[in-house]
């Protein structure tokens, strides 16, 4: 069996890697133990570099982080939050958002990170299905979510509001809840947290537009953190860039892996990620050693970050995940960062991560980069449609069995039944069906071959094409819509759409396309703006008189997708190309 | 985009620069056309401009001002609001005098 060979090979490879420091390993049984353990080891050394709202640097030691989150967690408990209750965290990346997530975990509650810029239908669905009892919100998020929040929701004081410097954070955190908690008292009011307790929920768009929540436990989150620390050899000399928003599963590296390793977290505000030159400047100034993000972000950094003009000598490891990185584009960045290690981490959010591939040198622009081999003792299968193991080199669906895999989907037993299959032995974790089609080679290395469904990754964000199509189809004047990915000149994937007008808006042609006609594209864009996440917004919309049909009379989505994927002109006309 | 004979006579921003910038931001760049972008709106924290939008803005600057924008200058300091963009444009215009 190739899979047992793969596991053995992987274990052999891992045995040479750094182990988790024993002082941490033994003490940390849940994510709630991370900051107390880091404080015992790291004490007053810096644990987090953040920025306050005025852009001033904040440095918090491990002791600070432990004390503040203990007080915040204690205040959550005093305010009535119980183990297993959901707490919404809808904040832009900041010192405060890091503190909030850890406070929730230490209070035994379940963190529900929500994109502060989430379209209202998504926010509403997440809030109503999780029924949070408390929330940490930015001031502008509070405004955006007004009307969607339960009336009796406990609004926690934003621990980062209007503060300057770390003294402000500490003082403010003391005030969260009813009364200040002194150092000794805080710990007594915190609950015992167990490995199998639920810890956090990560939501993605579902195929019908209903978000799917993945419930991770302290065990699955910590298993991920342990594997990242040992596989990537992260230690207390590292400084990890927090480049992913909280609602994105990749934020787990900065939230959990960094404290486990005693590596300092450098919080990268969302604004810096839209401004690569600002990010690179901060990375150089603070001596960041590990970048972890999606290829889309790294391509922006490569082309606009002025990387070669900053001193990035501290940077030693670039880890990417979320989508394939075209080897030529990766090479362009590596040429500007000559001594850097590069790893591809692969895994649907349900699994955290399940395979890793570390590049052995400069990638050849014409040679595909593999997903990698299963890390740690993760077991994988590649199965055909009859659920039989595929031969080597034969494409099939990837199944994963690992301690890092989620417990299940939030309140969706139907999805659990479809995706999580009981293992042969009741003591073992279930198999998770990824829906990703892969092939395995003789070394146990996996290669991505597509999706078994209509999911795509745009800028690392997982999107179900049907969900985007259903929003477009509801737009005024639209009868049918088909959405598909395209890449212009080898650039990052983007979504494009084709629509057919409904009969009441049947007059097509120039008037429609120019925006003044019955089916105004700007109207469709205005419809989509508040309903779709930015990555899901179609970058171009083609109006078609009708769609081709399949033999069974359904819209032939595959052919329409092929047409719109090809519909690229070097100089797109303003009228049909829609700005983001 | 090349209009070299003009570079030595630029003393200020092209007429209507600020208005045209706001129109560009509101009509083409904003990801949420129902929101109104004003001079002081924080374009990045609100998410109204995403990273692709930034690229479009920079390219518009280069066309309007007939200059090359150095990537190292595409920072929060210069692009977080329309107001800061205008200040940056003034610097650019002055630098090519």
């Amino acid at each position: 069996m190739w899979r047992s060979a793969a596991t053995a090979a992987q274990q052999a490879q891992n045995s040479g890697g750094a182990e988790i420091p024993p002082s941490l390993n033994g003490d940390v049984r849940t994510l709630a133990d991370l900051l107390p353990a880091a404080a015992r080891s790291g004490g007053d050394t810096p644990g987090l570099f953040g920025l306050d709202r005025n852009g001033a640097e904040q440095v918090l030691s491990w002791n600070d982080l432990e004390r503040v989150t203990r007080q915040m967690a204690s205040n959550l408990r005093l305010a009535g939050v119980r183990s297993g209750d959901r707490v919404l965290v809808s904040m832009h990346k900041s010192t405060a958002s890091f503190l909030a997530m850890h406070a929730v975990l230490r209070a035994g509650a379940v963190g529900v990170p929500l994109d502060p810029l989430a379209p209202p239908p998504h926010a509403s669905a997440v809030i109503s299905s999780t029924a949070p009892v408390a929330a940490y919100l930015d001031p502008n998020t509070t405004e955006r979510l007004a009307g969607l929040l339960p009336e009796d929701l406990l609004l926690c004081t934003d621990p980062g509001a209007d503060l300057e410097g770390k003294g402000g954070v500490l003082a403010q955190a003391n005030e969260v809840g009813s009364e200040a908690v002194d150092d000794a008292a805080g710990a007594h009011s915190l609950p015992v947290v167990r490995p199998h307790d639920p810890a956090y929920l990560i939501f993605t768009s579902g195929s019908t537009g209903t978000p799917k929540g993945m419930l991770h436990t302290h065990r699955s989150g910590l298993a991920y953190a342990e594997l990242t620390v040992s596989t990537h050899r992260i230690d207390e000399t590292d400084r990890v860039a927090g480049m992913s928003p909280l609602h994105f599963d990749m934020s787990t590296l900065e939230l959990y892996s960094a404290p486990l390793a005693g590596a300092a977290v450098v919080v990268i505000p969302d604004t810096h990620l839209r401004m690569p030159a600002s990010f690179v400047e901060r990375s150089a100034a603070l001596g960041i050693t590990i970048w972890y993000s999606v290829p889309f972000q790294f391509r922006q950094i490569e082309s606009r970050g002025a990387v070669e003009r900053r001193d990035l000598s501290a940077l030693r490891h670039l880890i990417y995940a979320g989508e394939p990185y075209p080897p030529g584009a990766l090479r362009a960045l590596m040429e500007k960062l000559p001594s850097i290690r590069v790893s591809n981490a692969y895994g649907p959010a349900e699994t955290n991560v399940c395979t890793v591939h570390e590049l052995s040198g400069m990638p050849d622009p014409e040679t595909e980069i593999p997903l990698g081999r299963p890390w740690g003792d993760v077991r994988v299968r590649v199965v055909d449609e009859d659920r039989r193991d595929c031969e080597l080199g034969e494409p099939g669906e990837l199944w994963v069995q690992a301690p890092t895999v989620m417990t299940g989907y939030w309140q969706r037993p139907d999805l659990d039944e479809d995706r999580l299959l009981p293992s042969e032995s009741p003591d073992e974790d279930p198999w998770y069906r990824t829906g990703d089609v892969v092939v395995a080679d003789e070394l146990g290395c996996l290669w991505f071959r597509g999706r078994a469904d209509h999911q795509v990754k745009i800028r690392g964000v997982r999107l179900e094409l049907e969900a985007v199509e259903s929003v477009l189809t509801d737009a005024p004047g639209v009868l049918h819509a088909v959405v598909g990915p395209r890449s212009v000149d080898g650039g990052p994937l983007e979504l494009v759409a084709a629509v057919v007008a409904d009969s009441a808006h049947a007059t097509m042609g120039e008037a429609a396309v120019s925006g003044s006609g019955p089916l105004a594209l700007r109207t469709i864009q205005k419809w989509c703006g508040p309903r779709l996440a930015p990555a899901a917004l179609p970058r171009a919309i083609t109006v078609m008189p009708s769609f081709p049909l399949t033999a069974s009379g359904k819209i032939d989505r595959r052919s329409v997708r092929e047409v719109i994927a090809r519909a690229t002109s070097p100089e797109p006309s303003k009228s049909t190309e829609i700005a983001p | 985009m090349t209009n070299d004979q003009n570079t030595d006579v630029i003393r200020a921003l092209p007429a209507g620069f600020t208005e045209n910038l706001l129109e560009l931001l509101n009509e083409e760049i904003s990801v949420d056309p129902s929101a109104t972008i004003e001079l002081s709106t924080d374009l990045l924290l609100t998410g109204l401009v995403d990273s692709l939008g930034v690229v479009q803005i920079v390219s518009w600057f280069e066309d309007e001002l007939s200059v090359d924008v150095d990537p190292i200058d595409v920072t929060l300091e210069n692009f977080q609001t329309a107001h800061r963009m205008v200040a940056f444009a003034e610097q650019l215009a002055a630098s090519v005098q």
Side-chain angles (χ1 to χ4, degrees), chain A residues 92 117 140 144 271-278 281 296-297 300 303-306 309-310 459 494 522 525-526 529-530 534 537 539 574 578-580, chain B residues 24 26-34 42-56 58 70-77 79-80:
Chain A
H92 291 284
L117 301 176
N140 61 342
R144 283 177 65 95
T271 48
H272 280 59
L273 292 175
R274 299 189 186 102
M275 285 292 174
S278 292
E281 185 180 11
F296 174 79
Q297 199 67 257
Q300 299 285 316
S303 63
R304 305 195 286 119
R309 288 153 69 190
R310 298 282 186 194
R459 303 188 228 165
E494 56 189 20
R522 190 65 186 170
Q525 188 190 3
K526 283 193 179 181
L537 290 174
R539 297 280 147 175
K574 286 263 182 201
I578 288 188
Chain B
L24 172 86
N26 279 297
E27 295 303 316
E28 294 195 41
I29 305 285
S30 172
V31 300
D32 182 359
S34 61
D42 187 323
L43 301 173
L44 299 165
L45 197 59
T46 53
L48 289 171
V49 173
D50 65 12
S51 35
L52 296 177
V54 173
V55 176
Q56 288 179 297
V58 170
D70 186 338
I72 212 162
D73 290 329
V74 184
T75 57
L76 285 167
E77 289 67 37
F79 284 88
Q80 192 150 14

Side-chain angles (χ1 to χ4, degrees), chain A residues 341-422:
Chain A
R341 278 169 69 200
V342 175
S343 300
N344 177 16
Y346 157 80
E350 285 87 345
T351 69
N352 271 302
V353 162
C354 57
T355 68
V356 173
H357 174 76
E358 186 173 330
L359 276 69
S360 56
M362 280 282 177
D364 173 57
E366 303 303 320
T367 307
E368 181 187 354
I369 299 168
L371 299 176
R373 292 191 294 194
W375 65 354
D377 52 3
V378 169
R379 293 173 69 198
V380 297
R381 292 178 64 190
V382 181
V383 300
D384 65 17
E385 286 178 357
D386 298 322
R387 301 190 171 181
R388 284 191 292 250
D389 288 302
C390 292
E391 298 295 322
L392 281 183
E394 184 189 346
E397 185 184 23
L398 176 67
W399 291 17
V400 179
Q401 184 187 58
T404 57
V405 171
M406 65 169 184
T407 306
Y409 292 102
W410 181 249
Q411 296 178 339
R412 292 294 301 273
D414 55 324
L415 287 176
D416 288 349
E417 196 177 330
D418 182 44
R419 290 283 157 187
L420 288 167
L421 307 175

Side-chain angles (χ1 to χ4, degrees), chain A residues 205-207 453-458 462-472 481-485 494-496 557 561:
Chain A
S205 79
S207 55
D453 57 20
H454 296 131
Q455 190 188 97
V456 294
K457 286 269 185 101
I458 304 290
R462 206 162 103 177
L463 299 169
E464 311 270 359
L465 294 179
E466 294 91 335
V468 181
E469 284 169 353
S470 97
V471 169
L472 270 173
V482 174
V483 172
E494 56 189 20
L495 280 193
V496 287
R557 292 177 187 274
R561 286 185 184 128

Side-chain angles (χ1 to χ4, degrees), chain A residues 427-489:
Chain A
D427 300 334
E428 289 177 350
D429 292 307
W431 287 98
Y432 167 67
R433 293 177 50 204
T434 64
D436 283 342
V437 177
V438 303
V439 294
D441 64 21
E442 61 280 2
L443 295 172
C445 193
L446 303 178
W447 301 76
F448 185 62
R449 286 295 172 265
R451 283 288 301 175
D453 57 20
H454 296 131
Q455 190 188 97
V456 294
K457 286 269 185 101
I458 304 290
R459 303 188 228 165
V461 179
R462 206 162 103 177
L463 299 169
E464 311 270 359
L465 294 179
E466 294 91 335
V468 181
E469 284 169 353
S470 97
V471 169
L472 270 173
T473 305
D474 288 343
V478 173
L479 180 63
H480 299 301
V482 174
V483 172
R486 77 164 178 195
S487 163
V488 179
D489 297 334

